[in-house]
Amino acid sequence: MRRLALLLLLTVPAFAQSLDERVAREVPSLVETYQSLHAMPELSQQEVKTSAFVAQRLRDLGYEVTYPFGRYKEPGTTCYGVVAILRNGNGPTVLVRSDMDGLPVPEQTGLPYASQNAGVMHACGHDVHMTTLLGTAKVLADLKSRWKGTVMLIGQPAEEIVRGAEGMLAAGLYEKFGRPNYAIALHDWILDAGKVGYRAGAFMAATDSLNLTIRGVGGHGAAPHATKDPVVMAAETIVALQTITSRERPPLEPVVVTVGKIEGGTKRNIIPDEVKLYLTVRTFNPEVRKRVLASIERIPKGIALAAGVPDDRAPLFEPLPAESIAATFNDGPLTERLANALSRELGGANVIEIEPAMVSEDFGLFSDGGKIPTVMLALGAGDPAKIAAGTQPGLHSSKFAPSDPALVLRTGVRAAVAAVLDLLK
Ligand SMILES: [Zn+2]
Ligand SMILES: [Zn+2]
């Protein structure tokens, strides 16, 4: 791959320079757009102003915009999806997706353009993604002589609760606007600003959210022999769940089992009737995913049995499909093709292979069960000095924001435009 990139670098420098110059002209206004979006974050499923802003900007650029587009299962909720189409003759269709929602995080960056919506923050970089999408839209509209086909830009709501992609697809995104041949997305990453990361195959983990209710028989704290204590069983369960990753997982398969919240009891001298555990589980391999979930169901049952809990008080295992999502896989050939295209545009040293992460995404749903090649690329948004020193705040942190948004946006737009031009050349 590197030799090919070098060869092409030598043969097409004029093209690479001109796209960079073209993008550089947009950067000052993109930084302003980014700062406005950063200051007005909205929570998942409440992206009213954000989506209207994105839809209007895309309409102004001459795109055919449909908005709001999408449908959630819950009645009475609006899916604020944005679909923007630019047709330019015969050729393939490329879908480019940005997510739009913020997080329930009180911002602590101290930036002059910090969130003005108390308790809500763009802590995952979706403000960068939207701005990159708008910059990409502008440059592609101006460079129509360089590509043939259809560009489908997606402003997706509710990524943080992994509902938005499903909502847009359920409303007939592909039936109404055509099936894309490729789907791509960029996500902010803790990687030096100016760099883009890629990873073929498994990229982001599957998430399973579930609750365990450990039921016992309550009573007086001074008479434990007359009870079946769910606090003790919950403690045993939490410890025993650790053996899933240490003893049951195939050693080369990544698995995370986290009990993030525990709830039970009212007073120190009362043994409660039940204790509730809230879990998040991360896996890549679908077979391993099934086995881990089966283990989480089995282990508390065994502990209850050992404690002599009556059958009608057996633990309850409650999977939450609405808060669960499959793993995100990047198509191998498409990843390699885009890594080459981006190396030509950004320079080989700025396009690097990265490790998968145990975080999750719903972008994979746009692949329609793996039938449409999709790639999510990682857009470096970190400060190299802070990364080296180990002090860079991570995604979802109240202190996360790119320290050099101009460089991040410039790199993001160059990367997205270069990818689309390569696919529609
Ligand atoms: Zn996030
Ligand atoms: Zn995100």
Side-chain angles (χ1 to χ4, degrees):
M1 197 184 286
R2 185 172 296 161
R3 195 187 308 153
L4 177 66
L6 263 178
L7 188 75
L8 287 157
L9 259 180
L10 293 173
T11 53
V12 289
F15 166 77
Q17 280 165 12
S18 65
L19 178 57
D20 187 21
E21 283 163 8
R22 179 67 200 78
V23 172
R25 291 216 304 270
E26 300 299 328
V27 168
S29 82
L30 289 176
V31 170
E32 275 175 36
T33 299
Y34 161 71
Q35 292 175 347
S36 313
L37 286 167
H38 187 83
M40 53 178 268
E42 293 171 299
L43 289 173
S44 308
Q45 297 188 312
Q46 298 173 30
E47 308 89 343
V48 185
K49 291 180 195 156
T50 310
S51 56
F53 179 96
V54 171
Q56 189 54 48
R57 289 290 182 97
L58 291 168
R59 218 169 257 144
D60 293 345
L61 292 170
Y63 284 70
E64 241 172 74
V65 175
T66 305
Y67 160 80
F69 182 82
R71 184 178 64 230
Y72 295 125
K73 282 180 197 136
E74 310 91 324
T77 45
T78 305
C79 183
Y80 294 101
V82 179
V83 185
I85 305 280
L86 190 61
R87 292 175 217 282
N88 188 26
N90 289 330
T93 297
V94 180
L95 181 155
V96 186
R97 174 271 215 166
S98 164
D99 34 20
M100 303 191 292
D101 48 335
L103 283 162
V105 172
E107 180 159 355
Q108 292 184 49
T109 59
L111 288 167
Y113 48 91
S115 170
Q116 289 172 16
N117 186 3
V120 184
M121 178 186 173
H122 271 302
C124 197
H126 299 186
D127 44 1
V128 170
H129 310 165
M130 288 184 274
T131 311
T132 301
L133 189 82
L134 295 173
T136 302
K138 172 88 164 68
V139 175
L140 286 173
D142 289 352
L143 294 182
K144 269 178 139 181
S145 61
R146 291 219 198 146
W147 57 277
K148 280 266 170 290
T150 301
V151 173
M152 179 191 283
L153 304 181
I154 299 292
Q156 185 207 302
E159 185 281 325
E160 294 292 354
I161 57 167
V162 294
R163 290 278 71 86
E166 182 188 53
M168 294 186 78
L169 290 160
L173 178 69
Y174 292 167
E175 292 74 15
K176 291 199 168 86
F177 302 98
R179 236 178 123 73
N181 300 86
Y182 311 98
I184 61 172
L186 287 160
H187 201 295
D188 271 26
W189 213 253
I190 301 307
L191 186 69
D192 292 359
K195 292 192 192 312
V196 172
Y198 66 90
R199 178 82 193 186
F203 182 44
M204 291 195 194
T207 289
D208 286 285
S209 302
L210 59 100
N211 299 337
L212 284 175
T213 307
I214 310 298
R215 301 188 296 175
V217 178
H220 202 293
H225 58 289
T227 73
K228 297 294 174 195
D229 188 347
V231 173
V232 173
M233 286 185 280
E236 287 176 335
T237 301
I238 294 168
V239 174
L241 290 173
Q242 311 307 313
T243 61
I244 295 173
T245 52
S246 67
R247 302 289 83 186
E248 295 192 31
R249 163 187 68 112
L252 299 179
E253 294 284 354
V255 171
V256 175
V257 177
T258 291
V259 180
K261 180 177 166 186
I262 169 167
E263 202 174 62
T266 52
K267 196 164 182 283
R268 69 182 76 245
N269 62 354
I270 298 173
I271 291 171
D273 286 320
E274 61 179 46
V275 172
K276 211 161 171 184
L277 309 182
Y278 298 79
L279 283 78
T280 186
V281 179
R282 307 297 168 105
T283 52
F284 278 105
N285 180 323
E287 277 309 306
V288 172
R289 183 183 183 187
K290 263 189 236 156
R291 280 176 52 188
V292 168
L293 294 177
S295 302
I296 293 171
E297 188 170 10
R298 188 196 73 236
I299 286 169
K301 278 186 190 161
I303 288 170
L305 192 69
V309 170
D311 287 350
D312 64 344
R313 297 292 293 159
L316 301 176
F317 173 83
E318 182 194 357
L320 302 168
E323 294 172 44
S324 303
I325 192 82
T328 305
F329 288 91
N330 285 333
D331 179 76
L334 184 60
T335 304
E336 183 166 350
R337 179 172 174 181
L338 296 184
N340 278 323
L342 267 56
S343 296
R344 294 194 292 275
E345 174 58 31
L346 300 169
N350 290 321
V351 180
I352 57 173
E353 188 172 26
I354 56 170
E355 294 295 320
M358 297 311 280
V359 294
S360 300
E361 250 291 342
D362 62 0
F363 172 67
L365 295 180
F366 289 105
S367 75
D368 189 17
K371 294 194 275 289
I372 297 168
T374 57
V375 171
M376 172 164 270
L377 296 161
L379 177 62
D383 178 332
K386 285 187 185 160
I387 292 176
T391 56
Q392 168 69 50
L395 299 178
H396 290 203
S397 153
S398 59
K399 296 194 168 72
F400 172 76
S403 54
D404 188 350
L407 177 59
V408 174
L409 294 166
R410 182 170 170 176
T411 309
V413 176
R414 285 175 76 191
V417 172
V420 173
L421 290 180
D422 191 72
L423 296 170
L424 298 182
K425 65 188 172 194

